[in-house]
Amino acid sequence: MELSGLQIFKYLPAAKKAENSNCKKCGCPTCMAFALKLAKKQVEISNCPYAPEDLKEFFAQNSKQPQNTVEINGLKIGGENVLYRHEKTFVNKTAIAILIDTELKGWQEKLKRVRDFEITRVNETMKIDLVILKGAVPKDLTEGLNIISYEEFKSLPVEVLEDKDFKTTREKLIEIRTKAIKEKDEKYAKPVCVIMHGEGGNLCARASFYICKYANMLIFDKFDEALISTLMTLRQNIFTDPQKPLQVEAKIYEFNNPDENSIIFMTTNFALTFFAVANELESLNVPSYLIVTPADGMSVLTAWSAEKFTAQMVAKILKKWDFANKVKNRKIIIPGLLAHMKEELEEEIHKAGDDFEIVVGTVEAYAISDFVKEYIK
Ligand code: SF4
């Protein structure tokens, strides 16, 4: 249960017109300001020396971690605080583990495939999180893998569900997470591992659902690269912080060995925009630069409306990176969505002492190829 700012305020001195009302000892200008911050978990109850015991007790109960965190050779599972990621964020992504039994035919080939597996998406390289090994294996075959024995797995403080049918597993996962989060019931505080059997589309559908709700680890007895790639892609989307957009480093990127006369593009550091543009530039076989401005990971229009992409900022960043002295080309191509900024950008850049001209590029990344063919004619 959570208290709103108004509900908290009713306990504080100002609401009771008591001594010390609005005394500011908590660092807030009023008791109401403190109550509102406390409701958003931006301050601690202990900051107010006059908070009554019943309010302190309420916060002590509520600060208990609803789900335990379990660490397996550096891999963390559990520790979740919310049911829905828009409430805050999920903490530790659903781990993907493969069970390897050395009694079964073909285990060496399976282990090799697991070891070699790797996918990279939106700047993140993902590998199998854990291998659970039944039987002994020479060390050189497991290099680079996070391995535990089946016996060690059985002794972990986790809840293990066998996925016999979808309805039962789904209901159990939802029940455990709901009791842990809503009721803070310690009986349900262990992270949940689900052992998956089967193959094909049905296995993929079930595993996808359990990543969304609410498995902390999925353990597969078979290893299927296509299945794991699909699940890791889904997992990456579910476990990003909705309040922190995916972003790349703001800097000047180079494609196809550019020189001082190469074409120059500009965009913001929103990861999806960056990769869409970067893929196009890379495949063009035309040397180019891409100036990526710092915009807290916002896409170009959002950044412009939030004042994270302003003419002054662009002029300043070009100066800071000393870009005018690195190139002879004096034309920077901006995204078509920012066409309205052309004059303003040129004015600020010239004011800052650089002489770049602004060219309006395409609205969509896929059109860059045709644009460049025309541009360099
Ligand atoms: Fe109000 Fe307590 Fe802050 Fe004083 S310290 S202003 S009483 S909340």
Side-chain angles (χ1 to χ4, degrees):
M1 185 192 157
E2 305 227 324
L3 292 181
S4 67
L6 215 55
Q7 286 168 320
I8 294 170
F9 176 68
K10 285 181 186 158
Y11 288 87
L12 297 176
K16 296 175 181 166
K17 298 199 169 39
E19 215 182 318
N20 307 310
S21 293
N22 304 320
C23 72
K24 301 187 180 62
K25 281 192 181 155
C26 55
C28 298
T30 60
C31 292
M32 178 57 98
F34 177 73
L36 294 173
K37 281 195 167 191
L38 190 55
K40 288 189 197 156
K41 300 187 175 74
Q42 291 168 344
V43 291
E44 299 290 328
I45 182 73
S46 57
N47 291 6
C48 171
Y50 309 112
E53 285 310 313
D54 46 357
L55 189 63
K56 284 192 210 158
E57 176 59 27
F58 175 85
F59 277 94
Q61 285 299 322
N62 265 274
S63 63
K64 271 200 303 187
Q65 184 68 29
Q67 191 183 48
N68 303 335
T69 303
V70 172
E71 200 168 330
I72 314 157
N73 300 334
L75 169 70
K76 284 185 183 167
I77 58 167
E80 300 301 339
N81 300 299
V82 291
L83 284 177
Y84 307 106
R85 84 176 190 142
H86 60 260
E87 293 176 81
K88 217 171 183 187
T89 181
F90 291 149
V91 180
N92 292 309
K93 58 191 177 191
T94 308
I96 293 183
I98 306 292
L99 184 66
I100 292 187
D101 186 344
T102 58
E103 293 284 302
L104 299 177
K105 224 173 113 201
W107 69 265
Q108 289 99 330
E109 187 256 341
K110 183 174 162 187
L111 183 63
K112 186 180 177 315
R113 280 170 46 224
V114 168
R115 209 178 53 182
D116 293 347
F117 178 81
E118 180 178 294
I119 62 164
T120 299
R121 188 177 178 271
V122 198
N123 230 10
E124 185 188 358
T125 299
M126 295 171 271
K127 294 174 76 74
I128 294 299
D129 300 301
L130 185 69
V131 171
I132 302 169
L133 205 57
K134 272 186 175 173
V137 160
K139 255 208 154 84
D140 58 320
L141 294 185
T142 60
E143 223 163 275
L145 289 170
N146 184 8
I147 294 235
I148 56 169
S149 69
Y150 190 63
E151 288 66 37
E152 283 171 304
F153 169 70
K154 282 198 295 187
S155 67
L156 289 174
V158 296
E159 184 79 37
V160 179
L161 302 181
E162 192 93 24
D163 182 39
K164 292 201 174 117
D165 75 279
F166 175 64
K167 187 172 180 289
T168 312
T169 310
R170 183 193 61 163
E171 286 174 358
K172 197 74 195 153
L173 282 167
I174 293 174
E175 183 198 358
I176 293 172
R177 179 68 66 89
T178 308
K179 295 245 189 209
I181 305 289
K182 291 259 183 212
E183 297 171 22
K184 301 216 168 169
D185 187 332
E186 283 175 15
K187 287 204 300 285
Y188 296 90
K190 290 179 184 169
V192 188
C193 302
V194 185
I195 300 181
M196 307 292 302
H197 305 289
E199 51 201 317
N202 187 266
L203 176 64
C204 185
R206 288 187 340 257
S208 300
F209 187 90
Y210 303 154
I211 284 177
C212 299
K213 283 180 190 286
Y214 286 114
N216 300 101
M217 186 192 291
L218 294 178
I219 302 161
F220 295 89
D221 59 356
K222 296 196 181 67
F223 179 61
D224 176 340
E225 284 88 346
L227 169 74
I228 301 299
S229 303
T230 306
L231 295 179
M232 284 183 169
T233 302
L234 169 73
R235 183 181 71 171
Q236 192 187 42
N237 286 325
I238 299 293
F239 283 83
T240 50
D241 185 341
Q243 288 160 22
K244 281 192 208 143
L246 287 173
Q247 51 185 292
V248 295
E249 189 187 349
K251 63 174 192 174
I252 296 160
Y253 292 79
E254 298 184 357
F255 299 93
N256 305 313
N257 302 316
D259 61 24
E260 54 194 16
N261 296 310
S262 299
I263 51 174
I264 307 163
F265 285 84
M266 178 180 279
T267 190
T268 67
N269 69 335
F270 176 46
L272 297 185
T273 304
F274 170 79
F275 285 109
V277 175
N279 283 344
E280 288 297 321
L281 296 182
E282 207 156 23
S283 61
L284 267 180
N285 255 341
V286 174
S288 60
Y289 292 101
L290 177 60
I291 301 168
V292 173
T293 65
D296 290 347
M298 291 181 195
S299 59
V300 287
L301 260 194
T302 315
W304 168 73
S305 58
E307 301 199 339
K308 297 282 179 188
F309 186 97
T310 66
Q312 289 92 333
M313 286 164 93
V314 169
K316 214 165 144 191
I317 206 90
L318 290 173
K319 259 280 156 280
K320 187 176 160 199
W321 290 341
D322 196 23
F323 193 58
N325 285 324
K326 290 195 176 99
V327 289
K328 280 194 182 146
N329 179 9
R330 283 295 177 259
K331 288 184 179 171
I332 297 177
I333 304 161
I334 59 165
L337 286 169
L338 299 176
H340 58 280
M341 289 186 76
K342 177 179 159 51
E343 281 79 30
E344 197 187 344
L345 277 166
E346 282 175 348
E347 202 180 307
E348 285 301 326
I349 290 170
H350 297 167
K351 251 198 244 168
D354 288 338
D355 54 355
F356 288 107
E357 211 184 288
I358 295 296
V359 175
V360 175
T362 63
V363 170
E364 302 290 348
Y366 70 80
I368 287 177
S369 163
D370 287 343
F371 174 86
V372 169
K373 278 178 206 150
E374 280 297 308
Y375 186 73
I376 58 175
K377 251 185 196 172

